[in-house]
Amino acid sequence: MASGWARDGAIQEQIDASVNDAVQYARSNLISGASAEICDECDEKIPQARRLALPGVRYCISCQAELEGLPSNSNAFNRRGSKDSQLR
C-alpha cells in the first residue's frame, strides 16, 4: 500500500502504539485493594456480589452512577425512526 513517504508498516506501528497507550492508561486507572463494605458516600451497605465483582470498589451502585454523571433515561432523539423522519 502506497502511503507517501512513510515506510512500510509505519501506519500499523502507529495504530499498535495508540492501542498500547490506551490499554496502559486503562490499566493504570483500575481500582485495586480491598473493597469497602459500606459506601463512602451514603453509608449504605455495598452488596457482596458487587464487592466480589469489582475489587477495590468504594461506592454503591447508585452513588457510583451519580459520581460518574451517567445520563438519565430521557430520550431526546428518535432513535427508532428512519433518517427521513428525523430530517422533516
Side-chain angles (χ1 to χ4, degrees), residues 66-82:
E66 193 173 310
L67 287 171
E68 290 177 359
L70 296 177
S72 62
N73 289 338
S74 64
N75 292 328
F77 298 102
N78 178 8
R79 299 194 186 280
R80 293 178 186 248
S82 68

Side-chain angles (χ1 to χ4, degrees), residues 12-66:
Q12 186 61 46
E13 288 174 8
Q14 185 177 11
I15 292 169
D16 291 342
S18 296
V19 169
N20 288 337
D21 289 345
V23 169
Q24 185 177 9
Y25 175 77
R27 285 182 178 163
S28 69
N29 287 329
L30 286 175
I31 300 170
S32 61
S35 297
E37 291 187 23
I38 304 295
C39 177
D40 288 349
E41 190 71 22
C42 68
D43 295 328
E44 292 292 322
K45 185 173 179 175
I46 300 173
Q48 183 177 3
R50 177 169 171 77
R51 289 181 290 164
L52 293 175
L54 299 169
V57 70
R58 308 299 304 163
Y59 303 103
C60 65
I61 294 172
S62 55
C63 290
Q64 185 73 45
E66 193 173 310

Side-chain angles (χ1 to χ4, degrees), residues 1-14:
M1 174 167 149
S3 59
W5 296 100
R7 68 186 191 297
D8 290 340
I11 294 172
Q12 186 61 46
E13 288 174 8
Q14 185 177 11

